[in-house]
Amino acid sequence: MRRALVTGGSGAIGGAICRRLAQCGLHVIVHGNTNAERAERVADEIRRSGGRADSIAFDVTDHEASTDALARVLEAGAIQVVVNNAGVHDDGPLAGMTFEQWRRVVDVSTHGFFNVTQPLLMPMIRSRWGRIVNLSSVVGVTGNRGQVNYAAAKAALHGAAKALALELASRGITVNVIAPGFVAGGMAETIDPAVIGATVPMKRAATTDEIAGAVAYLVSDEAAYVTGQILAIGGGLG
């Protein structure tokens, strides 16, 4: 059975991804950090539904902690699917942004991508099959006022995915990005629905299941020839 690691699996979007991948027959490792108990609840829900899942807790911004945690995971064999979903935002205009606001957002998305993905690559390469999916945002494509740090962090994932896709293409490993817009149950919960209606051509936010469905496709055998792509799920945005 192939194993999948989903960072930020304790959140609304991450949890939906975990449940969908379990339905696809993957053994899912649900990652959390400050929400370790929620990650275990997601894993328990999957197990009670007949799937296979475990939970794990570590800080993706801590290189040593990530390396140690993933070394323990790899004792049971390679991770074939990696979904880099962990992310935070700390908004404000750049003129008034603190360095800590900048660093926190970049650390989770960008350094977190390296800290999680790099230790898993050689076992994946040896198995000659793998799927890496980065969860980004349309903001990484279009930009957004008050989110220079978030846009920079997410755009970095786009470049990293395109470059890594070239490195791994001959090894049967694909690397892609999903760039959602507003997502119900995610960060869009703090946005006035009228703003979404006025901004999004389809007049609504995406559901977490719609995001999870796109992930499920990209990690499937049917998507074996899709790599280095940025898939916007924004209802017309992006």
Side-chain angles (χ1 to χ4, degrees), residues 75-99:
E75 290 175 0
I79 296 294
Q80 290 88 5
V81 174
V82 182
V83 181
N84 289 298
N85 170 69
V88 297
H89 69 98
D90 194 346
D91 300 344
L94 187 64
M97 184 175 291
T98 66
F99 177 67

Side-chain angles (χ1 to χ4, degrees), residues 179-197:
F182 297 106
V183 182
M187 295 177 185
E189 291 299 285
T190 62
I191 306 297
D192 185 342
V195 172
I196 296 175

